[in-house]
Amino acid sequence: MLAKTLSIPHISTGDLFRANISQGTPLGLEAKAYMNEGRLVPDEVTIGMAKDRMLQPDAAHGFLLDGFPRNLGQAKALDEFLTEQGIALDGVLDLEVSEDEVVKRIAGRRLCRNDGGHVYHVIYNPPKTEDVCDECGGELYQRSDDTEDKVRTRLEVYHTETEPIIDYYAQQGVLVTIPALGKVDEVTERAVAALEQKKNG
Ligand code: AMP
């Protein structure tokens, strides 16, 4: 929703990995074992893939990164890449929600097989027809790493590897923290307003 509102492409490293897995590429094969366990795919693979995507023509006028960077090594590699390319980082969005809420949101999440950007939730945002995408009629499914036990592992990984980048970006003065409780539209509006404010300084 953010990418749509801002008219920029949504670049999700998780989506890129899942596309590689469904196409059976070597990169997908390598990523699969890590993803199934809820662990991070090694930086050597992830950073190169993210850079390739950011260099695609549709990203020439800005992009929204989702799920990248996920540790300090990736954050530093991203900084170098952005400096090389002369791209400014307008803001880094930190969505604040309790851990219980994270588990509820992820365990109830359902995705469309045709487009991972079509996202539903069994309680908070159910499709009109069960297991069918409202937007394109695609079949909805639950990601194998979205079960409660996998989410708990992913949260542990988050705390040890990803959380430190909050401080890293706070020190750069680009961090935008918003409470992410509430309706999807409200949180989107809050995020857009906070990002615009940060961008305009
Ligand atoms: P996501 O779709 O963002 O929830 O990511 C799903 C899974 O893909 C993660 O649990 C990781 O195994 C892998 N993944 C996605 N993005 C990254 C990243 N930036 N670094 C390492 N692994 C990643």
Side-chain angles (χ1 to χ4, degrees):
M1 289 185 75
L2 258 187
K4 225 184 250 177
T5 310
L6 300 170
S7 303
I8 49 176
H10 168 218
I11 299 183
S12 151
T13 41
D15 283 352
L16 293 172
F17 284 132
R18 281 182 290 278
N20 273 280
I21 290 173
S22 55
Q23 288 157 20
T25 69
L27 191 150
L29 275 181
E30 186 169 354
K32 194 172 178 175
Y34 295 96
M35 292 174 76
N36 282 343
E37 287 177 24
R39 290 162 55 208
L40 295 189
V41 180
D43 287 356
E44 304 84 75
V45 180
T46 308
I47 293 167
M49 182 186 71
K51 282 186 189 173
D52 283 350
R53 179 63 189 88
M54 290 184 278
L55 289 170
Q56 296 302 307
D58 67 332
H61 304 291
F63 45 83
L64 176 75
L65 291 173
D66 172 11
F68 180 85
R70 245 174 164 106
N71 60 28
L72 275 175
Q74 292 179 14
K76 288 176 184 162
L78 175 64
D79 270 348
E80 274 172 33
F81 173 81
L82 295 177
T83 306
E84 269 165 32
Q85 299 294 323
I87 302 171
L89 186 59
D90 293 322
V92 173
L93 194 58
D94 177 21
L95 302 166
E96 277 193 335
V97 264
S98 71
E99 225 153 280
D100 280 349
E101 181 66 12
V102 168
V103 175
K104 267 191 221 156
R105 287 189 188 182
I106 299 183
R109 177 163 66 177
R110 297 294 180 269
L111 303 184
C112 173
R113 287 216 187 269
N114 294 341
D115 184 338
H118 300 163
V119 186
Y120 299 85
H121 189 280
V122 287
I123 295 158
Y124 300 144
N125 180 29
K128 293 198 184 86
T129 311
E130 207 182 322
D131 295 331
V132 178
C133 178
D134 291 349
E135 286 187 62
C136 71
E139 184 198 1
L140 302 185
Y141 75 103
Q142 181 178 33
R143 273 169 47 178
S144 59
D145 61 345
D146 275 356
T147 54
E148 187 165 340
D149 62 322
K150 295 276 172 67
V151 175
R152 300 266 175 213
T153 309
R154 288 162 60 196
L155 277 167
E156 278 170 32
V157 172
Y158 169 77
H159 287 306
T160 49
E161 307 212 32
T162 308
E163 210 168 16
I165 68 178
I166 295 179
D167 267 354
Y168 177 81
Y169 284 123
Q171 276 166 24
Q172 286 191 14
V174 287
L175 192 72
V176 178
T177 303
I178 61 157
L181 265 189
K183 295 212 171 79
V184 175
D185 288 349
E186 289 165 7
V187 179
T188 307
E189 258 174 50
R190 228 176 274 155
V192 171
L195 283 173
E196 300 270 321
Q197 200 184 0
K198 175 58 77 184
K199 191 177 165 189
N200 300 325

